[in-house]
Amino acid sequence: MIGSLMMCVSALVLLIGMVAGIVMGIRQDFLLSPAHAHLNLVGGVLLFLFGVYYRLIPAAGRSLLAKVQGAMHIVGGIMFPVGIGITLLANHAYMAIPIIGSLIMLAAMALFVVIVLRTERSGAAA
Ligand code: HEM
């Protein structure tokens, strides 16, 4: 189920994000801190929360829309922070990567709004 996949990916992302935070602290180099923050929050916490929603309400999680939403958030939620990191390291080059990543995530967020409204209206969440 897409919810399980999302929670597994999120757990791995958070592990990597925390290691990156420790490395930043050890090196006292905080250039990549915006990438770290977005990886943990968008690629980790948000992805986990969406996954929990699909697990709590299986009717929502089984829909094709949820699978598309989950896949898009996984791609965008990783591409966006990785893109921020690449852009920072490359002196603001490769801006297209975080921009495309953010747009994928925005589209995924819009899908999630549709999914939540549909689920609430259908009474499947009760
Ligand atoms: C082992 C765990 C973690 C370590 C060692 C760590 C370490 C760090 C460090 C060194 C910074 C930079 C601080 C600075 O710029 O002065 C930072 C910033 C930040 N971290 Fe973490 N972090 C960890 C986990 C997390 C998690 C789980 C989240 C979110 C869910 C998070 C969100 C943030 C945010 C929002 C910032 C501020 C970014 C900014 O101001 O640009 N961190 N962290």
Side-chain angles (χ1 to χ4, degrees):
M1 191 212 235
I2 189 69
S4 307
L5 175 68
M6 290 164 84
M7 288 193 284
C8 290
V9 173
S10 152
L12 277 174
V13 163
L14 282 167
L15 183 66
I16 292 167
M18 286 182 182
V19 170
I22 291 173
V23 171
M24 279 196 310
I26 292 170
R27 297 179 61 191
Q28 289 292 291
D29 178 355
F30 306 119
L31 174 70
L32 292 178
S33 126
H36 157 85
H38 284 91
L39 185 68
N40 280 328
L41 288 170
V42 179
V45 176
L46 210 50
L47 185 63
F48 195 85
L49 285 176
F50 290 154
V52 167
Y53 184 81
Y54 294 145
R55 284 292 297 273
L56 282 179
I57 305 161
R62 274 194 296 268
S63 71
L64 176 65
L65 214 52
K67 292 184 179 100
V68 174
Q69 192 274 336
M72 282 175 71
H73 191 93
I74 289 172
V75 172
I78 293 174
M79 187 175 177
F80 178 50
V82 168
I84 292 175
I86 291 173
T87 299
L88 289 171
L89 289 172
N91 206 12
H92 295 274
Y94 308 109
M95 284 284 280
I97 302 172
I99 290 171
I100 293 169
S102 69
L103 293 177
I104 293 173
M105 264 179 4
L106 180 67
M109 189 62 228
L111 282 185
F112 192 68
V113 170
V114 173
I115 291 165
V116 171
L117 292 180
R118 264 193 191 173
T119 309
E120 293 302 318
R121 268 213 221 142
S122 72

